Amino acid sequence: MSPIDATGDWTAGANPDAPDREPREPSSGRARRRARESGDSRPGLSGLGDGELEKWLASRGQPAYRARQIRDAVWRQNASTAADYLTVPAPLRSLIDESFRVDTIAESEIKVADGGLTEKTLHRLSDGVMIESVLMHYPARGYAGPGKPLHRERHTLCISSQAGCAVGCPFCATGELGFGRDLETAEIVDQVRHAARRVAASGSHLTNVVFMGMGEPLLNLDRVLESVAILADPRMFGLGARHVVVSTSGVVPGIKRLTALGPQFTLAVSLHAARDPLRDVLVPLNRRWPVAEVVAAAREHARVTGRRVSYEYVMISGVNDTEVDADALARLLRGDLAHVNLIPMNPVAHTPWQASSPERVAEFAARVRRGGVGVTIRANRGQDAGAACGQLAADRAGEPEPSVVAHRRELIVRESETALRGSRSAEELPADLEAAVGKERDR
Ligand code: SAH
Ligand code: SF4
Protein backbone atom coordinates (compact mmCIF):
# COMPACT_ATOMS: atom_id res chain seq x y z
CA MET A 1 0.00 0.00 0.00
CA SER A 2 1.33 3.46 -0.78
CA PRO A 3 2.25 5.57 2.22
CA ILE A 4 1.43 8.69 0.22
CA ASP A 5 -2.12 9.74 -0.58
CA ALA A 6 -3.27 11.48 -3.77
CA THR A 7 -2.34 14.92 -2.41
CA GLY A 8 1.17 13.77 -1.70
CA ASP A 9 0.80 13.86 2.09
CA TRP A 10 1.79 10.93 4.25
CA THR A 11 -1.22 8.79 5.11
CA ALA A 12 -1.45 7.89 8.76
CA GLY A 13 -1.08 4.20 9.44
CA ALA A 14 -0.93 3.14 5.78
CA ASN A 15 2.75 2.28 6.08
CA PRO A 16 4.89 1.92 9.18
CA ASP A 17 7.38 4.24 7.50
CA ALA A 18 4.76 6.99 7.81
CA PRO A 19 5.64 9.48 10.55
CA ASP A 20 2.34 9.42 12.37
CA ARG A 21 1.73 5.70 12.65
CA GLU A 22 0.31 4.22 15.81
CA PRO A 23 2.88 2.72 18.17
CA ARG A 24 2.32 -1.01 18.76
CA GLU A 25 1.35 -2.50 22.07
CA PRO A 26 4.24 -2.89 24.50
CA SER A 27 5.51 -6.44 24.96
CA SER A 28 7.05 -8.18 27.88
CA GLY A 29 10.19 -9.32 25.96
CA ARG A 30 13.68 -8.11 26.80
CA ALA A 31 14.02 -6.71 23.29
CA ARG A 32 10.87 -4.64 23.71
CA ARG A 33 11.99 -3.33 27.09
CA ARG A 34 15.13 -2.10 25.34
CA ALA A 35 13.16 -0.36 22.58
CA ARG A 36 12.86 3.35 23.24
CA GLU A 37 10.34 5.72 21.68
CA SER A 38 11.82 6.84 18.40
CA GLY A 39 13.08 10.39 18.51
CA ASP A 40 13.04 10.47 14.71
CA SER A 41 9.70 10.15 12.99
CA ARG A 42 10.94 10.73 9.42
CA PRO A 43 10.25 7.73 7.16
CA GLY A 44 13.20 5.86 5.63
CA LEU A 45 13.93 7.01 2.08
CA SER A 46 15.08 3.61 0.82
CA GLY A 47 11.71 2.09 1.81
CA LEU A 48 9.84 4.02 -0.89
CA GLY A 49 8.45 1.56 -3.44
CA ASP A 50 7.61 1.90 -7.09
CA GLY A 51 6.08 5.34 -7.84
CA GLU A 52 6.19 6.62 -4.26
CA LEU A 53 9.22 8.86 -4.75
CA GLU A 54 7.62 10.29 -7.91
CA LYS A 55 4.46 11.13 -5.94
CA TRP A 56 6.42 12.82 -3.22
CA LEU A 57 8.42 14.87 -5.74
CA ALA A 58 5.22 15.89 -7.57
CA SER A 59 3.68 17.02 -4.28
CA ARG A 60 6.69 19.28 -3.75
CA GLY A 61 6.53 20.73 -7.30
CA GLN A 62 9.73 18.90 -8.33
CA PRO A 63 10.28 17.47 -11.84
CA ALA A 64 9.81 13.71 -12.24
CA TYR A 65 13.36 13.14 -13.53
CA ARG A 66 14.71 13.91 -10.06
CA ALA A 67 13.37 10.50 -9.00
CA ARG A 68 15.98 8.74 -11.09
CA GLN A 69 18.77 10.93 -9.74
CA ILE A 70 17.73 10.30 -6.15
CA ARG A 71 17.29 6.57 -6.77
CA ASP A 72 20.72 6.35 -8.37
CA ALA A 73 22.23 8.16 -5.36
CA VAL A 74 20.49 5.71 -2.98
CA TRP A 75 21.10 2.51 -4.91
CA ARG A 76 23.94 2.92 -7.46
CA GLN A 77 26.11 5.32 -5.51
CA ASN A 78 24.76 3.88 -2.23
CA ALA A 79 25.29 7.23 -0.50
CA SER A 80 24.67 7.36 3.24
CA THR A 81 23.87 11.10 3.50
CA ALA A 82 21.85 13.48 1.31
CA ALA A 83 24.92 15.75 1.16
CA ASP A 84 26.48 13.05 -1.08
CA TYR A 85 23.63 13.24 -3.65
CA LEU A 86 25.84 15.26 -5.98
CA THR A 87 23.49 15.34 -8.98
CA VAL A 88 20.63 16.70 -6.83
CA PRO A 89 20.42 20.49 -6.26
CA ALA A 90 21.21 21.70 -2.73
CA PRO A 91 17.65 22.93 -1.86
CA LEU A 92 16.19 19.53 -2.78
CA ARG A 93 18.90 17.76 -0.76
CA SER A 94 17.85 19.84 2.26
CA LEU A 95 14.19 19.00 1.63
CA ILE A 96 15.05 15.29 1.44
CA ASP A 97 16.94 15.54 4.72
CA GLU A 98 14.02 17.29 6.41
CA SER A 99 11.51 14.73 5.13
CA PHE A 100 13.32 11.38 5.29
CA ARG A 101 15.90 9.34 7.13
CA VAL A 102 18.43 8.81 4.34
CA ASP A 103 19.89 5.95 6.40
CA THR A 104 17.79 4.19 9.05
CA ILE A 105 20.83 2.51 10.62
CA ALA A 106 22.42 4.82 13.16
CA GLU A 107 25.47 2.75 14.03
CA SER A 108 27.00 -0.62 13.17
CA GLU A 109 29.53 -2.79 14.91
CA ILE A 110 31.21 -5.53 12.90
CA LYS A 111 32.75 -8.75 14.20
CA VAL A 112 34.77 -10.82 11.75
CA ALA A 113 35.00 -14.62 12.00
CA ASP A 114 36.09 -17.66 9.96
CA GLY A 115 39.26 -15.91 8.84
CA GLY A 116 37.31 -13.07 7.22
CA LEU A 117 34.68 -15.23 5.49
CA THR A 118 31.93 -14.24 7.94
CA GLU A 119 31.10 -10.70 9.09
CA LYS A 120 28.51 -10.43 11.81
CA THR A 121 27.05 -6.94 12.21
CA LEU A 122 25.09 -5.49 15.09
CA HIS A 123 23.09 -2.47 13.92
CA ARG A 124 21.57 0.20 16.14
CA LEU A 125 18.43 1.70 14.61
CA SER A 126 17.37 5.30 15.16
CA ASP A 127 15.21 4.43 18.19
CA GLY A 128 18.04 2.49 19.84
CA VAL A 129 16.71 -0.98 18.88
CA MET A 130 19.46 -3.49 18.06
CA ILE A 131 19.27 -5.92 15.13
CA GLU A 132 21.75 -8.20 13.38
CA SER A 133 22.82 -9.11 9.90
CA VAL A 134 25.49 -11.58 8.82
CA LEU A 135 27.53 -11.32 5.63
CA MET A 136 28.99 -14.60 4.37
CA HIS A 137 31.60 -14.79 1.61
CA TYR A 138 31.86 -17.98 -0.46
CA PRO A 139 34.93 -17.95 -2.73
CA ALA A 140 34.73 -19.49 -6.20
CA ARG A 141 35.53 -23.21 -6.20
CA GLY A 142 35.75 -26.18 -8.53
CA TYR A 143 36.97 -26.26 -12.13
CA ALA A 144 34.74 -26.15 -15.21
CA GLY A 145 37.36 -25.00 -17.72
CA PRO A 146 40.11 -22.38 -17.95
CA GLY A 147 39.09 -19.35 -15.85
CA LYS A 148 35.71 -20.95 -15.20
CA PRO A 149 35.00 -22.10 -11.65
CA LEU A 150 32.34 -24.76 -11.17
CA HIS A 151 30.75 -22.60 -8.47
CA ARG A 152 31.04 -18.82 -8.85
CA GLU A 153 31.91 -16.67 -5.85
CA ARG A 154 28.91 -15.69 -3.77
CA HIS A 155 28.32 -13.03 -1.15
CA THR A 156 25.24 -13.83 0.88
CA LEU A 157 23.64 -11.50 3.41
CA CYS A 158 21.41 -12.84 6.16
CA ILE A 159 19.03 -10.07 7.30
CA SER A 160 16.53 -9.43 10.09
CA SER A 161 12.83 -8.73 9.57
CA GLN A 162 11.93 -7.97 13.18
CA ALA A 163 13.78 -6.86 16.30
CA GLY A 164 13.46 -9.96 18.50
CA CYS A 165 10.91 -12.67 17.77
CA ALA A 166 7.66 -13.78 19.38
CA VAL A 167 7.93 -17.44 18.32
CA GLY A 168 10.37 -18.29 21.12
CA CYS A 169 12.19 -21.38 19.79
CA PRO A 170 14.22 -22.53 22.82
CA PHE A 171 17.48 -23.07 20.88
CA CYS A 172 17.44 -19.55 19.41
CA ALA A 173 18.97 -16.47 21.04
CA THR A 174 16.45 -14.21 19.28
CA GLY A 175 13.63 -16.36 20.63
CA GLU A 176 14.88 -15.83 24.15
CA LEU A 177 14.94 -12.06 23.64
CA GLY A 178 11.21 -12.00 22.92
CA PHE A 179 9.45 -9.69 20.50
CA GLY A 180 10.72 -6.12 20.13
CA ARG A 181 9.01 -4.63 17.11
CA ASP A 182 8.49 -5.13 13.39
CA LEU A 183 11.14 -3.55 11.18
CA GLU A 184 10.13 -0.92 8.67
CA THR A 185 10.74 -1.54 4.98
CA ALA A 186 13.68 0.89 4.92
CA GLU A 187 15.23 -0.76 7.99
CA ILE A 188 15.15 -4.09 6.16
CA VAL A 189 16.66 -2.81 2.91
CA ASP A 190 19.22 -0.59 4.64
CA GLN A 191 20.86 -3.74 6.07
CA VAL A 192 21.42 -4.70 2.42
CA ARG A 193 22.74 -1.26 1.46
CA HIS A 194 25.26 -1.35 4.30
CA ALA A 195 26.57 -4.80 3.38
CA ALA A 196 26.59 -3.96 -0.34
CA ARG A 197 28.89 -1.04 0.42
CA ARG A 198 31.36 -3.35 2.14
CA VAL A 199 31.24 -5.96 -0.63
CA ALA A 200 31.64 -3.26 -3.32
CA ALA A 201 34.74 -1.95 -1.54
CA SER A 202 36.41 -5.29 -2.31
CA GLY A 203 35.38 -5.11 -5.99
CA SER A 204 32.52 -7.63 -5.79
CA HIS A 205 28.78 -7.43 -5.38
CA LEU A 206 26.19 -8.94 -3.10
CA THR A 207 24.63 -11.95 -4.82
CA ASN A 208 22.12 -13.42 -2.34
CA VAL A 209 19.85 -12.20 0.45
CA VAL A 210 18.29 -14.56 2.98
CA PHE A 211 15.66 -13.65 5.59
CA MET A 212 17.27 -15.81 8.26
CA GLY A 213 18.33 -13.18 10.77
CA MET A 214 16.25 -11.99 13.69
CA GLY A 215 12.50 -12.32 13.54
CA GLU A 216 9.77 -14.27 11.78
CA PRO A 217 9.43 -12.74 8.28
CA LEU A 218 5.92 -14.06 7.72
CA LEU A 219 4.71 -12.23 10.83
CA ASN A 220 5.89 -8.96 9.22
CA LEU A 221 4.97 -10.04 5.72
CA ASP A 222 3.76 -6.72 4.22
CA ARG A 223 7.08 -5.05 5.01
CA VAL A 224 9.04 -8.10 3.86
CA LEU A 225 7.20 -8.15 0.52
CA GLU A 226 7.79 -4.41 0.05
CA SER A 227 11.50 -4.89 0.72
CA VAL A 228 11.76 -7.86 -1.65
CA ALA A 229 10.07 -5.78 -4.39
CA ILE A 230 12.59 -2.97 -3.82
CA LEU A 231 15.56 -5.35 -3.74
CA ALA A 232 14.39 -7.04 -6.96
CA ASP A 233 13.63 -3.79 -8.84
CA PRO A 234 16.38 -3.24 -11.45
CA ARG A 235 16.10 0.55 -10.90
CA MET A 236 16.87 -0.02 -7.24
CA PHE A 237 18.98 -2.92 -5.94
CA GLY A 238 18.36 -5.23 -8.91
CA LEU A 239 18.85 -8.52 -7.11
CA GLY A 240 17.43 -11.51 -8.98
CA ALA A 241 14.33 -12.50 -7.01
CA ARG A 242 15.54 -16.08 -7.37
CA HIS A 243 18.45 -15.07 -5.18
CA VAL A 244 16.24 -14.32 -2.19
CA VAL A 245 15.31 -16.89 0.46
CA VAL A 246 12.50 -16.30 2.94
CA SER A 247 12.63 -18.62 5.94
CA THR A 248 9.63 -19.27 8.16
CA SER A 249 8.95 -21.22 11.32
CA GLY A 250 5.63 -22.24 9.76
CA VAL A 251 3.11 -19.38 9.54
CA VAL A 252 0.63 -21.23 7.31
CA PRO A 253 -1.51 -18.24 6.20
CA GLY A 254 1.73 -16.44 5.26
CA ILE A 255 2.94 -19.39 3.18
CA LYS A 256 -0.42 -19.39 1.38
CA ARG A 257 -0.07 -15.66 0.63
CA LEU A 258 3.39 -16.29 -0.82
CA THR A 259 2.03 -19.13 -2.94
CA ALA A 260 -0.64 -16.84 -4.38
CA LEU A 261 2.13 -14.44 -5.49
CA GLY A 262 3.81 -17.10 -7.62
CA PRO A 263 7.52 -17.91 -7.91
CA GLN A 264 9.09 -14.85 -6.27
CA PHE A 265 11.79 -16.39 -4.13
CA THR A 266 12.87 -19.60 -2.42
CA LEU A 267 10.80 -20.68 0.55
CA ALA A 268 12.64 -22.24 3.49
CA VAL A 269 10.69 -23.89 6.29
CA SER A 270 12.31 -24.31 9.71
CA LEU A 271 11.06 -27.79 10.53
CA HIS A 272 13.49 -29.12 13.20
CA ALA A 273 11.19 -32.08 13.98
CA ALA A 274 8.80 -34.20 11.94
CA ARG A 275 6.79 -35.26 14.98
CA ASP A 276 4.25 -32.87 16.53
CA PRO A 277 5.05 -33.47 20.22
CA LEU A 278 8.69 -32.57 19.66
CA ARG A 279 8.02 -29.71 17.26
CA ASP A 280 5.55 -28.22 19.79
CA VAL A 281 8.61 -27.69 21.99
CA LEU A 282 11.26 -26.79 19.41
CA VAL A 283 9.02 -24.41 17.42
CA PRO A 284 6.15 -23.30 19.71
CA LEU A 285 4.18 -22.03 16.71
CA ASN A 286 3.56 -25.73 15.96
CA ARG A 287 0.83 -25.69 18.63
CA ARG A 288 -1.13 -23.44 16.24
CA TRP A 289 -0.02 -24.83 12.87
CA PRO A 290 1.14 -28.44 13.25
CA VAL A 291 3.61 -30.33 11.03
CA ALA A 292 1.03 -31.73 8.60
CA GLU A 293 -0.49 -28.29 7.91
CA VAL A 294 2.90 -26.62 7.48
CA VAL A 295 4.16 -29.31 5.10
CA ALA A 296 0.87 -29.34 3.15
CA ALA A 297 1.16 -25.56 2.63
CA ALA A 298 4.83 -25.86 1.61
CA ARG A 299 4.01 -28.76 -0.75
CA GLU A 300 1.32 -26.65 -2.41
CA HIS A 301 3.84 -23.81 -2.70
CA ALA A 302 6.26 -26.12 -4.53
CA ARG A 303 3.47 -27.42 -6.79
CA VAL A 304 2.20 -23.97 -7.78
CA THR A 305 5.58 -22.23 -8.13
CA GLY A 306 7.59 -25.20 -9.42
CA ARG A 307 10.28 -24.21 -6.92
CA ARG A 308 11.89 -26.61 -4.48
CA VAL A 309 11.23 -25.92 -0.81
CA SER A 310 14.16 -26.05 1.63
CA TYR A 311 13.57 -27.53 5.06
CA GLU A 312 15.93 -26.37 7.81
CA TYR A 313 16.65 -28.88 10.56
CA VAL A 314 18.80 -27.79 13.52
CA MET A 315 20.49 -30.87 14.97
CA ILE A 316 20.29 -31.08 18.79
CA SER A 317 22.02 -33.94 20.54
CA GLY A 318 19.66 -36.55 21.98
CA VAL A 319 16.60 -34.41 21.21
CA ASN A 320 15.75 -34.54 17.49
CA ASP A 321 18.67 -36.55 16.04
CA THR A 322 17.54 -40.15 16.63
CA GLU A 323 16.86 -42.84 14.01
CA VAL A 324 13.15 -42.51 14.72
CA ASP A 325 13.38 -38.79 13.86
CA ALA A 326 15.30 -39.48 10.65
CA ASP A 327 12.68 -42.03 9.55
CA ALA A 328 9.81 -39.70 10.43
CA LEU A 329 11.46 -36.92 8.41
CA ALA A 330 12.01 -39.16 5.38
CA ARG A 331 8.40 -40.43 5.53
CA LEU A 332 7.08 -36.87 5.78
CA LEU A 333 8.95 -35.46 2.76
CA ARG A 334 9.47 -38.47 0.48
CA GLY A 335 8.29 -37.69 -3.06
CA ASP A 336 8.09 -33.92 -2.44
CA LEU A 337 9.93 -31.20 -4.37
CA ALA A 338 11.97 -30.61 -1.23
CA HIS A 339 15.49 -30.59 0.18
CA VAL A 340 16.63 -30.83 3.81
CA ASN A 341 19.46 -28.73 5.27
CA LEU A 342 20.89 -30.16 8.47
CA ILE A 343 22.48 -27.51 10.69
CA PRO A 344 24.33 -28.53 13.85
CA MET A 345 22.92 -26.29 16.61
CA ASN A 346 25.02 -23.19 17.22
CA PRO A 347 25.81 -23.01 20.92
CA VAL A 348 23.66 -20.37 22.62
CA ALA A 349 23.47 -19.29 26.24
CA HIS A 350 20.69 -20.58 28.50
CA THR A 351 19.72 -23.78 26.72
CA PRO A 352 20.41 -27.13 28.31
CA TRP A 353 21.24 -28.60 24.88
CA GLN A 354 24.33 -29.35 22.76
CA ALA A 355 24.81 -29.71 19.01
CA SER A 356 24.73 -33.27 17.66
CA SER A 357 28.19 -34.71 16.98
CA PRO A 358 29.46 -34.63 13.38
CA GLU A 359 29.17 -38.47 13.28
CA ARG A 360 25.53 -38.34 14.41
CA VAL A 361 24.74 -35.66 11.83
CA ALA A 362 26.36 -37.77 9.09
CA GLU A 363 24.44 -40.92 10.15
CA PHE A 364 21.19 -38.97 10.30
CA ALA A 365 21.82 -37.50 6.83
CA ALA A 366 22.59 -40.93 5.37
CA ARG A 367 19.40 -42.41 6.84
CA VAL A 368 17.19 -39.59 5.52
CA ARG A 369 18.86 -39.92 2.11
CA ARG A 370 18.25 -43.70 2.09
CA GLY A 371 14.64 -42.83 2.92
CA GLY A 372 14.41 -40.96 -0.40
CA VAL A 373 14.90 -37.31 0.55
CA GLY A 374 17.76 -35.00 -0.57
CA VAL A 375 19.91 -33.74 2.30
CA THR A 376 22.84 -31.35 2.72
CA ILE A 377 24.86 -30.87 5.89
CA ARG A 378 25.43 -27.14 6.38
CA ALA A 379 28.55 -25.85 8.04
CA ASN A 380 28.07 -23.48 10.93
CA ARG A 381 29.36 -20.05 10.13
CA GLY A 382 30.91 -17.57 12.56
CA GLN A 383 30.71 -19.45 15.84
CA ASP A 384 33.70 -17.43 17.03
CA ALA A 385 31.68 -14.24 16.48
CA GLY A 386 28.57 -15.43 18.31
CA ALA A 387 26.87 -16.14 15.01
CA ALA A 388 23.79 -17.89 16.34
CA CYS A 389 20.87 -15.74 15.29
CA GLY A 390 20.29 -12.95 17.83
CA GLN A 391 23.26 -13.77 20.00
CA LEU A 392 25.03 -10.41 19.74
CA ALA A 393 21.83 -8.50 20.40
CA ALA A 394 21.07 -10.81 23.33
CA ASP A 395 24.51 -10.17 24.79
CA ARG A 396 23.94 -6.44 24.40
CA ALA A 397 20.51 -6.66 26.05
CA GLY A 398 22.28 -7.78 29.22
CA GLU A 399 22.18 -10.97 31.24
CA PRO A 400 18.67 -11.89 32.40
CA GLU A 401 18.03 -12.63 36.09
CA PRO A 402 19.52 -16.01 37.15
CA SER A 403 16.10 -17.12 38.40
CA VAL A 404 14.62 -16.41 34.93
CA VAL A 405 17.39 -18.45 33.26
CA ALA A 406 16.91 -21.33 35.72
CA HIS A 407 13.14 -21.32 35.13
CA ARG A 408 13.64 -21.30 31.35
CA ARG A 409 16.06 -24.23 31.44
CA GLU A 410 13.75 -26.21 33.71
CA LEU A 411 10.77 -25.56 31.43
CA ILE A 412 12.74 -26.60 28.31
CA VAL A 413 13.91 -29.82 29.97
CA ARG A 414 10.43 -30.66 31.31
CA GLU A 415 8.70 -29.94 28.01
CA SER A 416 11.20 -31.84 25.92
CA GLU A 417 10.98 -34.86 28.23
CA THR A 418 7.20 -34.86 27.80
CA ALA A 419 7.65 -34.51 24.05
CA LEU A 420 10.14 -37.36 23.87
CA ARG A 421 7.56 -39.58 25.58
CA GLY A 422 5.25 -38.66 22.68
CA SER A 423 2.72 -36.34 24.33
CA ARG A 424 1.65 -33.05 22.78
CA SER A 425 2.40 -29.85 24.70
CA ALA A 426 -0.37 -28.61 26.97
CA GLU A 427 1.24 -25.14 27.15
CA GLU A 428 -0.74 -22.18 25.84
CA LEU A 429 0.96 -19.91 23.30
CA PRO A 430 2.73 -17.02 25.04
CA ALA A 431 0.70 -13.77 24.93
CA ASP A 432 3.04 -12.03 22.46
CA LEU A 433 2.91 -14.94 20.04
CA GLU A 434 -0.86 -15.30 20.41
CA ALA A 435 -1.22 -11.59 19.49
CA ALA A 436 1.11 -11.87 16.47
CA VAL A 437 -0.56 -15.03 15.21
CA GLY A 438 -4.07 -13.61 15.74
CA LYS A 439 -3.20 -10.63 13.57
CA GLU A 440 -2.09 -12.94 10.75
CA ARG A 441 -5.07 -15.30 11.09
CA ASP A 442 -7.63 -12.44 10.98
CA ARG A 443 -6.29 -10.90 7.79
N1 SAH B 1 12.20 -17.01 12.08
C1 SAH B 1 12.56 -17.59 10.85
C2 SAH B 1 13.79 -16.98 10.21
C3 SAH B 1 14.88 -16.56 11.14
S1 SAH B 1 15.69 -17.88 12.02
C4 SAH B 1 12.74 -19.09 11.00
O1 SAH B 1 12.78 -19.58 12.12
O2 SAH B 1 12.81 -19.75 9.97
C5 SAH B 1 16.69 -18.53 10.71
C6 SAH B 1 17.19 -19.94 10.94
O3 SAH B 1 18.16 -19.96 12.00
C7 SAH B 1 16.08 -20.89 11.34
O4 SAH B 1 16.11 -22.05 10.56
C8 SAH B 1 16.43 -21.16 12.78
O5 SAH B 1 15.88 -22.34 13.20
C9 SAH B 1 17.94 -21.11 12.77
N2 SAH B 1 18.55 -21.01 14.10
C10 SAH B 1 18.13 -20.29 15.16
N3 SAH B 1 18.92 -20.53 16.24
C11 SAH B 1 19.86 -21.42 15.86
C12 SAH B 1 20.94 -22.07 16.52
N4 SAH B 1 21.21 -21.86 17.81
N5 SAH B 1 21.70 -22.94 15.81
C13 SAH B 1 21.43 -23.17 14.49
N6 SAH B 1 20.42 -22.58 13.81
C14 SAH B 1 19.63 -21.73 14.49
FE1 SF4 C 1 12.01 -16.72 15.87
FE2 SF4 C 1 13.19 -18.12 13.92
FE3 SF4 C 1 14.43 -17.75 16.28
FE4 SF4 C 1 12.32 -19.37 16.15
S1 SF4 C 1 14.29 -19.65 15.11
S2 SF4 C 1 12.68 -17.79 17.70
S3 SF4 C 1 11.07 -18.34 14.65
S4 SF4 C 1 13.90 -16.19 14.82
Side-chain angles (χ1 to χ4, degrees):
M1 194 191 292
S2 166
I4 306 173
D5 68 17
T7 60
D9 289 320
W10 292 98
T11 311
N15 183 311
D17 289 354
D20 42 3
R21 77 185 154 110
E22 296 275 312
R24 290 179 52 140
E25 284 293 297
S27 107
S28 55
R30 264 198 298 156
R32 170 51 57 92
R33 283 203 296 277
R34 290 261 139 186
R36 293 196 297 269
E37 262 307 292
S38 171
D40 192 340
S41 57
R42 292 170 303 163
L45 180 61
S46 59
L48 295 189
D50 189 22
E52 293 180 346
L53 188 53
E54 283 80 356
K55 274 191 191 162
W56 179 79
L57 285 166
S59 75
R60 299 298 187 277
Q62 296 285 334
Y65 67 84
R66 295 281 180 220
R68 191 177 54 78
Q69 292 174 337
I70 296 170
R71 241 184 234 122
D72 283 353
V74 174
W75 293 105
R76 302 267 169 282
Q77 192 190 327
N78 203 345
S80 52
T81 66
D84 297 325
Y85 293 7
L86 299 179
T87 54
V88 176
L92 180 55
R93 278 189 246 159
S94 305
L95 187 59
I96 290 171
D97 244 347
E98 278 163 27
S99 312
F100 298 100
R101 271 173 296 155
V102 169
D103 192 344
T104 55
I105 294 176
E107 226 172 58
S108 296
E109 200 180 297
I110 302 172
K111 276 193 172 187
V112 177
D114 302 325
L117 289 180
T118 305
E119 299 171 36
K120 176 116 191 177
T121 309
L122 185 63
H123 302 288
R124 189 170 60 77
L125 304 178
S126 34
D127 61 352
V129 160
M130 309 296 276
I131 57 159
E132 295 178 24
S133 63
V134 186
L135 179 57
M136 290 162 284
H137 306 286
Y138 298 90
R141 62 193 168 85
Y143 181 79
K148 278 197 200 148
L150 199 55
H151 300 281
R152 280 196 234 147
E153 83 173 30
R154 278 185 298 126
H155 302 275
T156 298
L157 183 70
C158 171
I159 57 174
S160 297
S161 55
Q162 298 180 314
C165 182
V167 179
C169 306
F171 53 84
C172 172
T174 307
E176 192 191 357
L177 271 178
F179 181 63
R181 66 169 173 83
D182 287 332
L183 296 193
E184 300 168 14
T185 310
E187 291 169 335
I188 297 174
V189 300
D190 279 349
Q191 297 169 61
V192 177
R193 291 208 306 136
H194 273 241
R197 245 175 244 146
R198 301 210 306 276
V199 179
S202 63
S204 299
H205 66 278
L206 204 59
T207 51
N208 299 71
V209 170
V210 298
F211 282 83
M212 290 190 174
M214 297 172 84
E216 169 48 57
L218 300 200
L219 290 178
N220 188 21
L221 189 50
D222 290 336
R223 306 289 88 84
V224 166
L225 290 176
E226 283 166 8
S227 36
V228 172
I230 289 170
L231 294 175
D233 191 324
R235 295 165 310 155
M236 294 192 248
F237 193 64
L239 186 75
R242 289 182 169 254
H243 295 155
V244 176
V245 178
V246 177
S247 175
T248 180
S249 55
V251 181
V252 168
I255 298 175
K256 289 182 176 166
R257 273 183 75 195
L258 295 184
T259 305
L261 293 173
Q264 306 254 342
F265 31 67
T266 299
L267 175 69
V269 173
S270 294
L271 196 62
H272 311 319
R275 303 184 281 157
D276 279 319
L278 189 52
R279 195 166 187 272
D280 282 349
V281 178
L282 297 185
V283 186
L285 202 56
N286 196 68
R287 298 169 206 169
R288 181 57 38 95
W289 291 297
V291 172
E293 279 186 41
V294 172
V295 172
R299 196 173 282 146
E300 180 64 4
H301 184 85
R303 191 188 66 76
V304 170
T305 63
R307 306 221 42 206
R308 191 173 84 174
V309 172
S310 298
Y311 286 91
E312 311 298 306
Y313 197 103
V314 168
M315 299 284 294
I316 310 173
S317 180
V319 174
N320 64 351
D321 63 354
T322 65
E323 293 184 352
V324 173
D325 290 295
D327 292 345
L329 183 60
R331 258 196 320 275
L332 183 67
L333 301 180
R334 192 177 296 146
D336 282 4
L337 188 54
H339 191 87
V340 173
N341 291 316
L342 299 178
I343 312 140
M345 188 187 85
N346 250 318
V348 289
H350 315 144
T351 75
W353 296 329
Q354 313 287 326
S356 308
S357 67
E359 298 73 30
R360 188 82 277 276
V361 177
E363 281 162 17
F364 190 94
R367 199 169 172 100
V368 174
R369 213 171 279 129
R370 277 200 304 276
V373 178
V375 187
T376 305
I377 299 171
R378 298 280 170 203
N380 264 330
R381 275 294 189 102
Q383 289 201 358
D384 44 336
C389 158
Q391 209 171 306
L392 291 182
D395 289 349
R396 196 53 60 90
E399 188 63 18
E401 290 292 318
S403 59
V404 174
V405 173
H407 175 72
R408 177 179 153 83
R409 278 172 172 266
E410 190 193 304
L411 192 71
I412 295 172
V413 170
R414 180 157 35 88
E415 284 207 335
S416 49
E417 278 171 358
T418 312
L420 292 170
R421 283 199 303 272
S423 312
R424 296 290 305 264
S425 170
E427 290 286 321
E428 295 288 314
L429 287 190
D432 263 6
L433 182 52
E434 187 63 66
V437 161
K439 196 178 66 158
E440 189 53 37
R441 205 184 30 210
D442 300 341
R443 289 182 61 87

